[in-house]
Amino acid sequence: MGARREQVTGIVLKDGAVLAVFGLGLGTLVALGLSRLMSGLVWGVTVTDLSTYGAVCALLGATAMAASWIPARRASRTDLGRDLECRVRVGSPIPPGAPLPDRRRVLF
């Protein structure tokens, strides 16, 4: 609850990057493993063309980071204190701009 916006953004982006690197690594290994089956489908390039693998990994990595940026930005703008108080009230979220509930009545 005491994290700054930059810290929250960094945490969410780091989590997205870890998942992207894991997925890219696993996908590359599977693609290299299945390259013999794919050899009849590609023309003009070898099945283990490193520039193609690099370009695809760069494009997918950039897409993953862009897809992580939106939730990171949204998470950094969230007021956690208000969200926690909303979750205390069962089934009735507080609309934006409404006064916050009295803590004594909510918690006891």
Side-chain angles (χ1 to χ4, degrees):
M1 281 189 31
R4 294 187 320 266
R5 286 185 179 204
E6 299 85 24
Q7 292 172 324
V8 173
T9 303
I11 290 168
V12 175
L13 285 176
K14 184 184 128 207
D15 289 346
V18 167
L19 288 174
V21 167
F22 179 73
L24 287 172
L26 185 64
T28 302
L29 290 175
V30 169
L32 286 171
L34 295 175
S35 63
R36 292 207 181 236
L37 297 173
M38 301 291 288
S39 63
L41 299 175
V42 293
W43 299 281
V45 274
T46 61
V47 250
T48 55
D49 185 24
L50 293 180
S51 62
T52 303
Y53 279 100
V56 169
C57 285
L59 179 66
L60 290 176
T63 304
M65 292 313 296
S68 296
W69 175 254
I70 295 168
R73 196 177 72 185
R74 186 173 183 191
S76 70
R77 294 180 180 176
T78 302
D79 182 12
L80 293 178
R82 184 178 180 91
D83 288 347
L84 288 173
E85 287 188 21
C86 287
R87 298 203 188 270
V88 170
R89 297 177 70 182
V90 180
S92 62
I94 300 171
L100 294 175
D102 184 17
R103 287 189 177 136
R104 288 171 287 166
R105 281 190 282 160
V106 172
L107 297 177
F108 299 107

